Amino acid sequence: MAVNTLTIDGKEIAIEAGKTILDAAKEAGVPIPTLCHMEGVHDVGACRLCIVEAEGTPKLLPACVTAATEGMVIHTQTEKLQNYRRMTVELIFAEGNHVCSICVANGNCELQDVAVDVGMDHSRFSYRFPDRGCDLSHSQFGIDHNRCIMCTRCVRVCDEVEGAHVWDVGSRGPDCFIVAGLDQPWGEVDACTSCGKCVDACPTGAIFHKGETTGEKEGDRGKMAFLTTAREKQEWTR
């Protein structure tokens, strides 16, 4: 097995070739904030919260999709990175309609957790207050587009774990939104198996079980990683 050796925040780490900087940081116990990353599905580098600095390049690199190569010297907690991460979270809040006090995921929301981690207590940017709707046509679940951060975790878990291909991204730029089927009401998409994996994958309160009220949504963040290896390992219970 080929191994690469690199340094992250002063720690020398040996990691299997082909692994990412984020994988290496986890091996070393170095925390890097993420939102679009989820164990069990491939990474897309959508949220840009996991950016790091690498000596020898002026670019900030997304750790989740950048391969860890031999001799890299990585910094994860510089003042520049902290400022960029805080600004990214501020933009996420300003771009959507995130009213935590009435959200089903209040107190159990990855966006909230990241905001605390990066020290974001207000947004310096003007709120857009976009006109977004909710789809409650499904018998068991609902999606509130006001809370969506376009991490695409629901899209990837539905494609790669469930294999139903219900979700996709529609439109372009700031008008992007998550669509079910061919932009149909969710409840009319025959491909949906009602498995609920998209609910578990959602880092905010955008996709939820019907009947949940403020603060009642609890995500199972390890479920997808378990499911992706369950068949291979013949492990059906956790």
Side-chain angles (χ1 to χ4, degrees):
M1 180 181 69
V3 173
N4 289 323
T5 303
L6 65 155
T7 303
I8 300 181
D9 291 348
K11 296 182 179 180
E12 193 170 274
I13 302 152
I15 190 78
E16 181 184 349
K19 296 292 187 179
T20 65
I21 295 172
L22 184 61
D23 293 327
K26 287 182 178 180
E27 287 277 338
V30 176
I32 297 179
T34 63
L35 275 175
C36 66
H37 169 77
M38 186 175 67
E39 297 291 337
V41 295
H42 83 280
D43 286 304
V44 294
C47 70
R48 261 11 191 208
L49 273 173
C50 67
I51 51 174
V52 296
E53 288 190 80
E55 291 187 8
T57 176
K59 297 180 180 179
L60 298 179
L61 305 175
C64 67
V65 292
T66 303
T69 58
E70 182 67 30
M72 270 186 163
V73 179
I74 302 295
H75 303 282
T76 72
Q77 301 297 330
T78 65
E79 183 177 355
K80 179 179 180 179
L81 291 172
Q82 297 284 22
N83 289 336
Y84 270 97
R85 288 171 183 161
R86 185 164 57 250
M87 181 173 65
T88 298
V89 177
E90 290 177 33
L91 286 167
I92 291 173
F93 272 90
E95 182 271 341
N97 296 316
H98 301 285
V99 186
C100 298
S101 60
I102 58 169
C103 182
V104 295
N106 188 21
N108 193 26
C109 171
E110 293 180 43
L111 179 59
Q112 275 185 339
D113 294 342
V114 166
V116 172
D117 288 343
V118 302
M120 180 261 177
D121 56 6
H122 71 284
S123 177
R124 76 195 86 170
F125 304 103
S126 299
Y127 285 81
R128 292 182 62 239
F129 298 115
D131 184 11
R132 297 175 178 170
C134 300
D135 182 353
L136 301 175
S137 59
H138 195 284
S139 60
Q140 299 178 44
F141 315 117
I143 178 169
D144 184 346
H145 294 283
N146 294 285
R147 301 165 180 164
C148 180
I149 59 172
M150 294 302 298
C151 67
T152 71
R153 279 164 46 162
C154 58
V155 177
R156 286 175 282 150
V157 77
C158 191
D159 288 353
E160 299 170 27
V161 180
E162 183 62 15
H165 307 282
V166 172
W167 299 108
D168 212 331
V169 178
S171 197
R172 295 183 179 182
D175 297 322
C176 279
F177 66 107
I178 297 296
V179 297
L182 297 174
D183 197 10
Q184 303 164 260
W186 186 2
E188 296 179 11
V189 180
D190 294 335
C192 182
T193 62
S194 300
C195 68
K197 292 183 178 66
C198 55
V199 180
D200 285 315
C202 182
T204 65
I207 306 179
F208 54 91
H209 290 273
K210 277 188 171 180
E212 288 178 327
T213 187
T214 304
E216 288 188 349
K217 178 180 177 179
E218 293 185 8
D220 186 351
R221 299 177 187 180
K223 180 178 179 180
M224 305 312 155
F226 167 75
L227 288 174
T228 55
T229 59
R231 187 177 292 108
E232 175 187 330
K233 295 180 178 180
Q234 296 292 300
E235 296 176 351
W236 309 116
T237 58
R238 286 192 288 169

